[in-house]
């Protein structure tokens, strides 16, 4: 890679890694370590093609989406499931607290199907239009609409504290400080 492309890549990582890590955390269902791995894989794949990529962030995001879908497919065969919150710690929580609402939301996101979680993350946390979500997931716009509707209904049933306005309006995105990108 040329020195100018290398510098451009380093600048991109410095500027966008926080937002990309936030997306990765959402895609992995709150697993910070898996999110960091997902982001690293996407950045490694982008680094090799950096000079040929026209829209750098779109490319990295698409690699992350596809890589996570592959992980979900492989995870289907695992016998155990990891959860971000132990069931014992959920008793005696104050549902009005924003942090506890986030914990409940993470748990509920983990109970959605793969497609439902992808639609919710892309549509409401990434704030992408339905057409773009449909293009990324390779399905019709109507499927995105109906999946979003069913997903929000399921989230509201799992976490009644969310109310009718949905997760994007009630819970601010988490802010993470990413580790320095390893070379």
């Amino acid at each position: 890679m040329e020195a100018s492309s290398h510098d451009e890549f380093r600048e991109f990582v410095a500027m966008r890694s926080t937002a990309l890590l936030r997306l990765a955390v959402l895609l992995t269902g709150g697993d910070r370590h898996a999110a960091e791995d997902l982001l690293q894989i996407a950045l490694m794949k982008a680094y090799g093609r950096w000079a040929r990529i026209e829209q750098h962030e779109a490319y990295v995001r698409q690699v992350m989406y596809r890589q996570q879908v592959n992980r979900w497919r492989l995870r289907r065969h695992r016998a155990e499931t990891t959860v971000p919150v132990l069931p014992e710690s959920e008793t005696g929580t104050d549902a009005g607290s924003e942090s506890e609402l986030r914990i409940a939301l993470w748990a509920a996101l983990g109970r959605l199907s793969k497609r439902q979680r992808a639609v919710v993350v892309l549509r409401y946390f990434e704030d992408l239009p339905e057409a773009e979500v449909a293009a990324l997931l390779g399905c019709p716009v109507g499927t995105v609409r109906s999946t979003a509707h069913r997903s929000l209904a399921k989230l509201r049933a799992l976490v009644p504290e969310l109310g009718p306005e949905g997760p994007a309006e009630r819970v601010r995105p988490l802010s993470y400080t990413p580790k320095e990108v390893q070379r």
Side-chain angles (χ1 to χ4, degrees), residues 12 35 38-39 63 67 75 82 93-94 100 105 131 136 143 145-146 157 169 172:
F12 172 80
L38 181 63
L39 179 57
V63 169
Q67 187 68 28
R75 191 178 296 168
T82 58
T93 59
D94 179 20
E100 291 163 356
L105 182 58
L136 284 169
T143 301
R145 286 182 187 142
S146 62
E169 291 81 9
R172 291 188 313 260

Side-chain angles (χ1 to χ4, degrees), residues 102-113:
R102 286 184 186 189
I103 291 170
L105 182 58
W106 283 123
L109 279 172
R111 294 184 61 192
L112 294 177
S113 71

Side-chain angles (χ1 to χ4, degrees), residues 23-24 27-28 33-46 58-76 114 117-118 122 136-137:
L23 170 64
L27 287 173
T28 59
H33 300 291
E36 290 172 352
D37 291 344
L38 181 63
L39 179 57
Q40 287 295 327
I41 290 168
L43 290 173
M44 285 183 350
K45 289 184 177 188
Y59 181 85
V60 171
R61 286 174 181 263
Q62 188 169 33
V63 169
M64 287 171 48
Y65 301 142
R66 290 183 178 174
Q67 187 68 28
Q68 186 59 28
V69 168
N70 289 338
R71 285 183 180 188
W72 286 329
R73 288 179 184 149
L74 294 174
R75 191 178 296 168
R76 212 179 334 170
K114 295 173 255 185
R117 185 182 317 161
L122 294 173
L136 284 169
L137 297 178

Side-chain angles (χ1 to χ4, degrees), residues 66-163:
R66 290 183 178 174
Q67 187 68 28
Q68 186 59 28
V69 168
N70 289 338
R71 285 183 180 188
W72 286 329
R73 288 179 184 149
L74 294 174
R75 191 178 296 168
R76 212 179 334 170
H77 302 290
R78 288 180 39 186
E80 58 186 58
T81 303
T82 58
V83 293
V85 178
L86 297 176
E88 297 83 21
S89 66
E90 290 182 13
T91 61
T93 59
D94 179 20
S97 167
E98 185 175 321
S99 62
E100 291 163 356
L101 182 59
R102 286 184 186 189
I103 291 170
L105 182 58
W106 283 123
L109 279 172
R111 294 184 61 192
L112 294 177
S113 71
K114 295 173 255 185
R115 181 178 291 238
Q116 287 176 326
R117 185 182 317 161
V119 167
V120 168
V121 167
L122 294 173
R123 185 74 181 97
Y124 298 102
F125 288 98
E126 283 295 303
D127 200 26
L128 295 178
E130 291 171 339
E132 194 171 336
V133 173
L136 284 169
L137 297 178
C139 63
V141 174
T143 301
V144 171
R145 286 182 187 142
S146 62
T147 303
H149 178 76
R150 284 191 306 272
S151 303
L152 290 177
K154 186 171 182 178
L155 282 175
R156 288 184 190 114
L158 293 170
V159 186
E161 298 88 1
L162 289 177

